[in-house]
Amino acid sequence: MDRLLELEGLFWESVVETLYIVAVTLGIGGVGGLVIGVTLYVTRKNGLLANAPVSIVLNLVVNFFRPIPFVIFIGAVQPLARWVVGVGIGNRAIIFALSLAAAFGISRIVEQNLVGVDPGVVEAARAMGAGRPRIILTVLIPEALGPLVLGYTFVFVALVDMSAIAGVIGGGGLGNFAIVYGYRQFNPVVTWVAVIAIVVIVQVAQFAGNRLARTILRR
């Protein structure tokens, strides 16, 4: 317990680092995933912008990257991270790798939720003379917003789990805190404090996401 008190400052710093990594990743990967997901949806057969070559290539790219285990993905994109963000280790590198992985995962969530939108709503908008960009921005995305919030909440939880691997490439956060000061120093109390902190973050995020989704769906 005394050791835990000594590490209190580092613990709260690790909590902030985890939230920072996840928030930035969700912002970058979330936007990227939304763009890719919408493109997958509108370029599919009978879509608003049906384009078979684009759809096939994009599906191949997404399907290629999605199954790669994240701990392997980190190492695989390390050279690209050095070129894009200037470093291959640390929080910037982990955010880069997480953002890429998240974008491909989110794209499928977005596509699946857009497929669930009633085609009649889209046809009604087209009959009223709405252009394709307007249909995407004011019909498709708003209609799928509730499920999308749940999907992004799921991704947030997954990113918290994935950020725990940040220590592999010198990143910070609760995962690194648990490994360095708990597991490697044979201190289970420190490890479990980090675990409980991760669980609390996940529970709060899941509760907030569920509540927001219910509010949107009731409109």
Side-chain angles (χ1 to χ4, degrees):
M1 187 61 71
D2 291 340
R3 180 58 175 158
L4 185 60
L5 292 175
E6 292 174 8
L7 295 171
E8 183 180 358
L10 282 171
F11 167 74
W12 289 113
E13 183 180 324
S14 297
V15 171
V16 172
E17 274 190 309
T18 293
L19 293 174
Y20 169 76
I21 290 170
V22 173
V24 174
T25 299
L26 189 62
I28 299 171
V31 172
L34 182 64
V35 172
I36 297 171
V38 169
T39 305
L40 284 168
Y41 174 77
V42 299
T43 58
R44 62 194 294 154
K45 186 177 179 180
N46 299 322
L48 287 172
L49 299 167
N51 189 315
V54 171
S55 181
I56 291 170
V57 171
L58 205 52
N59 271 286
L60 285 173
V61 171
V62 172
N63 291 338
F64 177 82
F65 285 104
R66 277 186 67 208
I68 303 175
F70 184 62
V71 68
I72 298 174
F73 187 79
I74 289 176
V77 301
Q78 204 168 26
L80 183 60
R82 288 195 189 98
W83 183 69
V84 175
V85 299
V87 292
I89 60 173
N91 286 342
R92 281 195 293 169
I94 192 71
I95 288 172
F96 176 79
L98 274 170
S99 297
L100 271 182
F104 294 121
I106 290 171
S107 66
R108 285 300 184 197
I109 293 174
V110 172
E111 181 192 19
Q112 290 164 7
N113 284 314
L114 292 179
V115 169
V117 174
D118 184 0
V121 177
V122 177
E123 289 303 319
R126 295 181 76 170
M128 294 172 65
R132 291 165 183 172
R134 186 174 180 182
I135 290 173
I136 293 170
L137 294 174
T138 64
V139 177
L140 278 175
I141 294 177
E143 284 291 320
L145 193 56
L148 283 174
V149 168
L150 291 176
Y152 274 75
T153 302
F154 170 80
V155 172
F156 180 94
V157 172
L159 289 176
V160 172
D161 294 341
M162 292 162 70
S163 69
I165 307 173
V168 173
I169 57 170
L174 286 167
N176 185 59
F177 177 83
I179 292 170
V180 173
Y181 300 103
Y183 176 75
R184 290 180 183 170
Q185 296 186 14
F186 304 100
N187 193 330
V189 174
V190 172
T191 302
W192 275 102
V193 166
V195 169
I196 291 170
I198 290 172
V199 171
V200 169
I201 291 171
V202 167
Q203 293 295 328
V204 171
Q206 190 67 62
F207 173 80
N210 289 345
R211 186 162 187 176
L212 179 59
R214 282 198 301 269
T215 301
I216 293 170
L217 290 170
R218 285 172 183 167
R219 290 181 180 177

